[in-house]
Amino acid sequence: MHFRNLALSTFAVAVLFFGAITGASALTSYNGSDYSFDSESRERMTACDKESDSTPVKGEYYNVGNNTKRDVKDSDGNNGTCASEGNGVGKVLKHKTCEYRSAWPDACGNWQSY
């Protein structure tokens, strides 16, 4: 019984330690319950609409060494599926989450930068 408890404790510590290391490699930007994040060594962006408010969400981002603003859009509401794309042009430098509205300025969260 003591060996089992020791093994479980060791496993839990390993999950916390290695989870913290891998979690530190991506940044997440929030706007209310909506969010965007980078992944795959900062070469993929994902945007997630988590609000059932009829307002689509986009993750705006810039890449290292490139002044072109790009975005990935999740325009199908809070359906449990996020939109994702590989940017194909290098590592993400910074990104933010925005609700985009056709007749009003976009409501955005803060830039998350490396």
Side-chain angles (χ1 to χ4, degrees):
M1 187 68 156
H2 178 69
F3 178 75
R4 183 175 149 244
N5 288 341
L6 178 62
L8 288 173
S9 297
T10 303
F11 176 74
V13 169
V15 167
L16 289 173
F17 178 75
F18 290 111
I21 291 172
T22 55
S25 64
L27 295 176
T28 302
S29 170
Y30 293 92
N31 184 27
S33 297
D34 305 323
Y35 61 93
S36 63
F37 63 93
D38 61 274
S39 61
E40 295 182 15
S41 299
R42 298 172 37 198
E43 295 196 7
R44 175 167 289 280
M45 277 299 303
T46 301
C48 299
D49 187 349
K50 294 297 185 183
E51 299 172 354
S52 300
D53 60 1
S54 302
T55 307
V57 170
K58 64 183 174 182
E60 291 185 355
Y61 65 97
Y62 288 90
N63 290 348
V64 174
N66 186 333
N67 255 355
T68 303
K69 180 171 65 174
R70 301 177 178 280
D71 59 53
V72 58
K73 296 177 180 172
D74 182 6
S75 56
D76 55 6
N78 184 14
N79 67 353
T81 303
C82 299
S84 184
E85 70 180 20
N87 64 46
V89 293
K91 296 193 179 295
V92 172
L93 173 65
K94 63 181 181 176
H95 64 85
K96 66 180 177 179
T97 303
C98 299
E99 288 186 331
Y100 62 97
R101 303 174 272 191
S102 57
W104 300 94
D106 293 341
C108 298
N110 294 330
W111 284 105
Q112 299 298 312
S113 301
Y114 285 95

